Amino acid sequence: MLKCTNCLNEQDSGNFCGKCGTSLMETGIPQPTAYTEAAAASPAVGAQPVNTNEHVTKAKENVSKYWSYALQVLKKPSVAFDTKDSQYVNGIITMALFVIAFALSIYFLANKLYKAVVGGFGSLFSEGGIGAESLPFFNITSSLFMFAVFFILGSFISVFLVSKFMTEGFTLKELLGQFGSILIPFTALNVVAIIFGLMGSIQLTLTLTGVSLFYTIAILPSIIVYDRAMKSEKSLNKLYWATGASAASLFIAYLIVRMSVLDFMSEIESLLNMGF
């Protein structure tokens, strides 16, 4: 029995289909068609989702590992002092979360206050009657983000420089891991501050972010330097080195405030007073 691959017409004999003229084949020996070729190629196409799933699974594992480590430090902060260079990625993640949470908490608070002041009349205070019912998210959060990054970098640089002056042997990865790990509890404060910022609680939001920022700038450098001096085999004046690290961090923060933060605060104040 012969079967046409085009119209599926079956006939007993002949080289061509009597219905559509297509070359015939025996029913037991199928010829390759476009469908079968596509099916043969499908495993290669289907391999991509497998790779995607592997990346997703790996990302979930990394998040789970970081979460477990963060909880461990929150439960027992002293663990952070024994951090090795293998934890430098967790340290970087913590610093990133710190600045993001800080920026979001301040923005949400400012936006809540802006809405309370302007209310539904924001359109009356803008050109063309198209109102700003909310503060510009990207412009403000990006500025806050950069300020927090500068403060973090200033604190880290002070620790790095003082450690170098102490001629303490260490790696950059080790210092990043320790710095970020000790920062975890105060990163959690900034995350909590996001909630209070959304609620419009001025006192709680500014208290939490203020404590976390003051700790990062003034206290964290001295803690790390003092710990490193305690573990050193050399005879070091631990108190002076620790105090010097905090003083250097505070000086850098002062320069940041003088150059950028005051101008930014005046811009925020002008936004809040818009139309009055």
Side-chain angles (χ1 to χ4, degrees), residues 77-98:
S78 59
V79 174
F81 292 103
D82 299 324
T83 302
K84 304 300 181 183
D85 55 3
S86 59
Q87 297 292 344
Y88 81 97
V89 175
N90 288 338
I92 295 174
I93 292 174
T94 301
M95 288 186 276
L97 290 176
F98 181 95

Side-chain angles (χ1 to χ4, degrees), residues 173-190:
K173 289 183 177 180
E174 180 184 352
L175 200 60
L176 282 171
Q178 189 177 30
F179 188 94
S181 298
I182 299 175
L183 196 62
I184 286 177
F186 293 88
T187 300
L189 288 184
N190 284 342

Side-chain angles (χ1 to χ4, degrees), residues 192-215:
V192 175
I194 293 177
I195 300 174
F196 292 118
L198 288 168
M199 295 170 56
S201 175
I202 300 175
Q203 183 176 2
L204 291 175
T205 304
L206 296 182
T207 297
L208 292 178
T209 54
V211 167
S212 66
L213 196 60
F214 178 78
Y215 168 83

